[in-house]
Amino acid sequence: TLKDAVFAGSFDPVTVGHLEIVRRLGDVFDRVYFLLAVNSDKHCFFTRQERLDMMRAASAPMPFVVVDYTDGYVYEYARKKGAVLARGVRNADDFAYERVMADNNHGWAPEIQTVFLMADPALRDVSSTHARDLILSGKIRDSSLPPVAAAYIAAIPDLEERRRTFGKQ
């Protein structure tokens, strides 16, 4: 039986929805690798270090969490850790996307299982994209952000400059 799970994403930024999935994974698995993974299709607002810092701060009360980073394939990371891949699913669109990803991962690493957790209905509208859009519009204190992440974001020295220039590169 597998005792560890890998929950990977770009977490730009980490949200209360992500943390809810991590917490629930901790009810089932001994260890959860909360993995920041590179997604070449995404242009992130926050730096890798900022995202890792927010993930560590937000998951600090969960002793079963290991925050880590990979610039490789997530299935290879899971293979090295002997872990399942865990994915949070908010709606049918998420499921369709995640099913394709699970099928691809199965093709590359058939020994790696993927498990899906449905999002808490109260958090189904929470997404990093929505949180980032709010941050870009100047709203940081939002219910979709863990308070420690909101405080971290508010303290970023060049936040205003980044807001003005994000997406214009």
Side-chain angles (χ1 to χ4, degrees), residues 26-92:
D27 291 341
V28 178
F29 295 95
D30 293 340
R31 182 177 354 212
V32 176
Y33 293 96
F34 196 12
L35 184 67
L36 179 63
V38 170
N39 182 337
S40 58
D41 294 335
K42 291 188 177 182
H43 177 70
C44 292
F45 182 75
F46 297 101
T47 68
R48 176 177 69 190
Q49 191 59 54
E50 288 168 342
R51 289 178 284 152
L52 286 167
D53 289 348
M54 285 186 274
M55 291 164 64
R56 284 187 183 104
S59 65
M62 297 181 259
F64 55 86
V65 172
V66 175
V67 174
D68 206 354
Y69 167 80
T70 186
D71 57 5
Y73 292 108
V74 173
Y75 73 85
E76 289 176 344
Y77 184 94
R79 179 185 282 149
K80 287 179 196 168
K81 299 297 184 182
V84 302
L85 293 173
R87 303 302 299 164
V89 178
R90 293 173 298 161
N91 53 43

Side-chain angles (χ1 to χ4, degrees), residues 109-124:
E111 75 280 14
I112 304 296
Q113 298 295 317
T114 300
V115 298
F116 299 103
L117 269 75
M118 294 304 298
D120 180 317
L123 300 175
R124 284 206 181 121

Side-chain angles (χ1 to χ4, degrees), residues 45-46 50 156 158-166:
F45 182 75
F46 297 101
E50 288 168 342
I156 294 173
D158 67 341
L159 185 62
E160 289 304 318
E161 177 62 22
R162 275 200 235 175
R163 280 186 181 134
R164 283 193 293 280
T165 61
F166 185 71

